[in-house]
Amino acid sequence: DAKTTQPNSMESNEEEPVHLPCNHSTISGTDYIHWYRQLPSQGPEYVIHGLTSNVNNRMASLAIAEDRKSSTLILHRATLRDAAVYYCILRDRDDKIIFGKGTRLHILP
Amino acid sequence: NAGVMQNPRHLVRRRGQEARLRCSPVKGHSHVYWYRQLPEEGLKFMVYLQKENIIDESGMPKERFSAEFPKEGPSILRIQQVVRGDSAAYFCASSPIVAGSTDTQYFGPGTRLTVL
């Protein structure tokens, strides 16, 4: 079973920032926090990952709570192309990904 | 600089037939994973392979399903005697040789299997 909890769906207006929350209260010291997203009719794609410190890349930012029991994926300026299901995933030393139900993000024009 | 390739993209089979799904990983990647996504559901891990070895098949149904990743050629997911419940999207992913918690998995576009 997935070890993360995410809202089923969220809405955001186009060109505004989006904050996608994820709770992972049972995270272990060796778990990395990964985010993937799946656009309609496509395979998942990697977004970002981190361990303890906040991370930034060209797609998004990842803010990790100090106790690591929660994190937030931040899309700085959402576009219609960001409408997707976003998965927050904990990965330990195993290589397989355990997907949860994710958050379905709707972008309003 | 091709990504993960899967073929066919769409496959239709009648009950009892065999389905063969192929996956060519990113060039240089030696780890392959297969996932299944039933309609309106999340992705479920099926099997993890390295070249000529099955590393983790904990998500594979015990019967009718098999997977291989030969030394040469693509990885194959084989479903024998398909049933309607096998209708799903099957995604393949690959990752580079460095295994561990930080490796990124690159996913293919999927094969959508429909069993009539």
Side-chain angles (χ1 to χ4, degrees):
Chain A
D1 289 339
K3 298 181 285 187
T4 62
T5 304
Q6 299 177 252
N8 288 334
S9 66
M10 291 183 63
E11 275 186 359
S12 180
N13 293 319
E14 196 177 8
E15 298 187 7
E16 290 187 357
V18 181
H19 291 234
L20 296 162
C22 181
N23 288 321
H24 28 78
S25 58
T26 60
I27 191 170
S28 73
T30 55
D31 280 336
Y32 284 75
I33 302 158
H34 288 244
W35 284 81
Y36 281 74
R37 72 178 185 180
Q38 187 175 21
L39 278 65
S41 301
Q42 295 188 29
E45 66 173 341
Y46 168 81
V47 178
I48 200 167
H49 77 276
L51 183 62
T52 56
S53 304
N54 294 343
V55 184
N56 299 296
N57 66 21
R58 64 176 181 81
M59 289 181 70
S61 295
L62 177 60
I64 302 172
E66 198 168 329
D67 63 5
R68 302 211 321 130
K69 294 186 176 182
S70 65
S71 60
T72 302
L73 179 71
I74 302 165
L75 307 179
H76 295 286
R77 194 162 166 268
T79 70
L80 295 176
R81 288 174 293 180
D82 291 319
V85 178
Y86 287 77
Y87 297 98
C88 171
I89 296 154
L90 299 184
R91 296 187 67 196
D92 57 16
R93 296 299 177 187
D94 292 332
D95 287 313
K96 63 191 176 191
I97 293 177
I98 307 297
F99 286 91
K101 295 188 182 301
T103 296
R104 185 174 296 275
L105 176 64
H106 302 272
I107 304 297
L108 305 175
Chain B
N1 190 16
V4 176
M5 299 175 68
Q6 291 187 248
N7 65 81
R9 294 291 306 277
H10 299 272
L11 182 61
V12 179
R13 286 287 178 266
R14 296 191 181 280
R15 281 180 298 168
Q17 291 184 319
E18 179 180 288
R20 278 181 177 248
L21 288 62
R22 284 175 290 277
C23 169
S24 296
V26 173
K27 187 176 180 181
H29 286 190
S30 60
H31 298 220
V32 165
Y33 315 79
W34 286 92
Y35 298 84
R36 177 167 65 174
Q37 187 169 33
L38 295 169
E40 302 304 320
E41 292 192 15
L43 293 98
K44 303 292 185 187
F45 166 78
M46 298 181 75
V47 63
Y48 162 35
L49 309 105
Q50 293 179 19
K51 287 282 187 180
E52 300 183 280
N53 285 308
I54 296 175
I55 306 303
D56 181 348
E57 56 181 347
S58 58
M60 285 278 271
K62 296 290 183 225
E63 297 178 351
R64 301 188 298 109
F65 285 72
S66 63
E68 63 177 13
F69 188 18
K71 188 176 180 181
E72 302 290 338
S75 175
I76 305 287
L77 179 67
R78 183 179 175 208
I79 311 172
Q80 295 178 292
Q81 299 175 313
V82 295
V83 301
R84 288 218 174 102
D86 297 331
S87 296
Y90 292 82
F91 292 97
C92 168
S94 74
S95 69
I97 195 168
V98 179
S101 299
T102 60
D103 66 310
T104 297
Q105 290 191 8
Y106 298 83
F107 283 79
T111 293
R112 279 149 184 84
L113 173 65
T114 301
V115 179
L116 302 177

